[in-house]
Short mmCIF file of all heavy atoms in Angstrom, two decimals:
data_model
loop_
_atom_site.label_atom_id
_atom_site.label_comp_id
_atom_site.label_asym_id
_atom_site.label_seq_id
_atom_site.Cartn_x
_atom_site.Cartn_y
_atom_site.Cartn_z
N LEU T 306 0.47 7.22 -1.85
CA LEU T 306 -0.51 6.28 -2.43
C LEU T 306 -0.66 5.02 -1.60
O LEU T 306 -1.79 4.54 -1.34
CB LEU T 306 -0.19 5.97 -3.88
CG LEU T 306 -0.24 7.14 -4.85
CD1 LEU T 306 0.35 6.74 -6.20
CD2 LEU T 306 -1.66 7.68 -5.03
N MET T 307 0.49 4.47 -1.18
CA MET T 307 0.48 3.29 -0.31
C MET T 307 -0.26 3.56 1.00
O MET T 307 -1.07 2.77 1.45
CB MET T 307 1.88 2.80 0.02
CG MET T 307 2.50 2.03 -1.10
SD MET T 307 4.17 1.43 -0.68
CE MET T 307 4.09 1.06 1.05
N GLU T 308 0.04 4.69 1.61
CA GLU T 308 -0.54 5.07 2.86
C GLU T 308 -2.08 5.20 2.71
O GLU T 308 -2.84 4.75 3.57
CB GLU T 308 0.05 6.35 3.38
CG GLU T 308 -0.34 6.73 4.77
CD GLU T 308 0.44 7.91 5.28
OE1 GLU T 308 0.53 8.95 4.56
OE2 GLU T 308 0.99 7.81 6.38
N PHE T 309 -2.48 5.82 1.65
CA PHE T 309 -3.94 5.96 1.36
C PHE T 309 -4.60 4.58 1.31
O PHE T 309 -5.64 4.35 1.96
CB PHE T 309 -4.15 6.72 0.02
CG PHE T 309 -5.59 6.74 -0.39
CD1 PHE T 309 -6.47 7.71 0.11
CD2 PHE T 309 -6.11 5.79 -1.27
CE1 PHE T 309 -7.81 7.71 -0.25
CE2 PHE T 309 -7.45 5.77 -1.62
CZ PHE T 309 -8.30 6.78 -1.13
N VAL T 310 -4.03 3.67 0.55
CA VAL T 310 -4.62 2.35 0.39
C VAL T 310 -4.57 1.60 1.73
O VAL T 310 -5.57 0.99 2.12
CB VAL T 310 -3.90 1.53 -0.73
CG1 VAL T 310 -4.42 0.11 -0.77
CG2 VAL T 310 -4.06 2.21 -2.09
N HIS T 311 -3.46 1.67 2.41
CA HIS T 311 -3.32 0.99 3.71
C HIS T 311 -4.37 1.49 4.71
O HIS T 311 -4.93 0.68 5.44
CB HIS T 311 -1.91 1.27 4.28
CG HIS T 311 -1.73 0.78 5.66
ND1 HIS T 311 -1.44 -0.54 5.93
CD2 HIS T 311 -1.82 1.41 6.86
CE1 HIS T 311 -1.37 -0.70 7.26
NE2 HIS T 311 -1.59 0.46 7.82
N ASP T 312 -4.64 2.77 4.73
CA ASP T 312 -5.56 3.35 5.70
C ASP T 312 -7.03 3.08 5.35
O ASP T 312 -7.89 3.09 6.21
CB ASP T 312 -5.35 4.84 5.84
CG ASP T 312 -4.06 5.21 6.54
OD1 ASP T 312 -3.45 4.30 7.16
OD2 ASP T 312 -3.61 6.38 6.42
N ARG T 313 -7.32 2.89 4.05
CA ARG T 313 -8.73 2.85 3.66
C ARG T 313 -9.23 1.49 3.14
O ARG T 313 -10.45 1.32 3.00
CB ARG T 313 -8.95 3.91 2.57
CG ARG T 313 -8.97 5.27 3.20
CD ARG T 313 -9.08 6.40 2.19
NE ARG T 313 -9.05 7.67 2.81
CZ ARG T 313 -8.00 8.27 3.31
NH1 ARG T 313 -6.83 7.69 3.24
NH2 ARG T 313 -8.07 9.50 3.86
N VAL T 314 -8.32 0.57 2.86
CA VAL T 314 -8.75 -0.74 2.35
C VAL T 314 -8.11 -1.80 3.25
O VAL T 314 -6.91 -1.91 3.26
CB VAL T 314 -8.35 -0.94 0.88
CG1 VAL T 314 -8.82 -2.30 0.37
CG2 VAL T 314 -8.91 0.18 -0.01
N LYS T 315 -8.93 -2.53 3.98
CA LYS T 315 -8.44 -3.49 4.98
C LYS T 315 -9.03 -4.89 4.73
O LYS T 315 -10.20 -5.00 4.34
CB LYS T 315 -8.84 -3.04 6.40
CG LYS T 315 -8.42 -1.65 6.78
CD LYS T 315 -7.03 -1.65 7.28
CE LYS T 315 -6.67 -0.29 7.85
NZ LYS T 315 -5.31 -0.13 8.16
N PRO T 316 -8.24 -5.90 5.05
CA PRO T 316 -8.82 -7.26 5.00
C PRO T 316 -9.93 -7.40 6.03
O PRO T 316 -9.88 -6.76 7.08
CB PRO T 316 -7.65 -8.16 5.37
CG PRO T 316 -6.41 -7.35 5.13
CD PRO T 316 -6.83 -5.92 5.39
N LYS T 317 -10.93 -8.21 5.71
CA LYS T 317 -12.04 -8.44 6.65
C LYS T 317 -12.39 -9.92 6.62
O LYS T 317 -12.71 -10.44 5.55
CB LYS T 317 -13.23 -7.59 6.24
CG LYS T 317 -14.41 -7.73 7.16
CD LYS T 317 -15.57 -6.83 6.71
CE LYS T 317 -16.80 -7.05 7.52
NZ LYS T 317 -17.93 -6.33 6.99
N GLU T 318 -12.27 -10.57 7.76
CA GLU T 318 -12.66 -11.97 7.86
C GLU T 318 -14.07 -12.19 7.34
O GLU T 318 -14.97 -11.38 7.63
CB GLU T 318 -12.56 -12.47 9.29
CG GLU T 318 -11.15 -12.74 9.76
CD GLU T 318 -10.42 -13.82 8.94
OE1 GLU T 318 -11.05 -14.82 8.59
OE2 GLU T 318 -9.24 -13.60 8.65
N GLY T 319 -14.24 -13.24 6.60
CA GLY T 319 -15.55 -13.57 6.07
C GLY T 319 -15.86 -12.92 4.72
O GLY T 319 -16.80 -13.29 4.06
N GLU T 320 -15.07 -11.96 4.31
CA GLU T 320 -15.26 -11.27 3.06
C GLU T 320 -14.66 -12.17 1.95
O GLU T 320 -13.57 -12.69 2.07
CB GLU T 320 -14.58 -9.92 3.02
CG GLU T 320 -14.82 -9.10 1.80
CD GLU T 320 -16.23 -8.60 1.62
OE1 GLU T 320 -16.98 -8.50 2.63
OE2 GLU T 320 -16.64 -8.35 0.50
N ASP T 321 -15.38 -12.36 0.89
CA ASP T 321 -14.97 -13.17 -0.23
C ASP T 321 -13.78 -12.49 -0.94
O ASP T 321 -13.97 -11.46 -1.56
CB ASP T 321 -16.10 -13.37 -1.19
CG ASP T 321 -15.75 -14.21 -2.43
OD1 ASP T 321 -14.60 -14.73 -2.50
OD2 ASP T 321 -16.60 -14.38 -3.30
N PRO T 322 -12.58 -13.06 -0.85
CA PRO T 322 -11.42 -12.42 -1.50
C PRO T 322 -11.47 -12.48 -3.02
O PRO T 322 -10.69 -11.83 -3.68
CB PRO T 322 -10.23 -13.21 -0.98
CG PRO T 322 -10.79 -14.54 -0.54
CD PRO T 322 -12.20 -14.30 -0.14
N TYR T 323 -12.41 -13.25 -3.58
CA TYR T 323 -12.53 -13.39 -5.00
C TYR T 323 -13.67 -12.56 -5.61
O TYR T 323 -13.90 -12.61 -6.80
CB TYR T 323 -12.64 -14.84 -5.42
CG TYR T 323 -11.45 -15.66 -4.90
CD1 TYR T 323 -11.63 -16.50 -3.83
CD2 TYR T 323 -10.21 -15.50 -5.45
CE1 TYR T 323 -10.57 -17.25 -3.30
CE2 TYR T 323 -9.13 -16.26 -4.96
CZ TYR T 323 -9.31 -17.12 -3.88
OH TYR T 323 -8.24 -17.80 -3.42
#
Side-chain angles (χ1 to χ4, degrees):
L306 294 171
M307 279 182 36
E308 189 173 50
F309 173 85
V310 174
H311 173 81
D312 291 344
R313 286 175 181 76
V314 181
K315 305 275 188 190
K317 181 179 175 187
E318 282 300 319
E320 184 69 23
D321 179 5
Y323 303 105

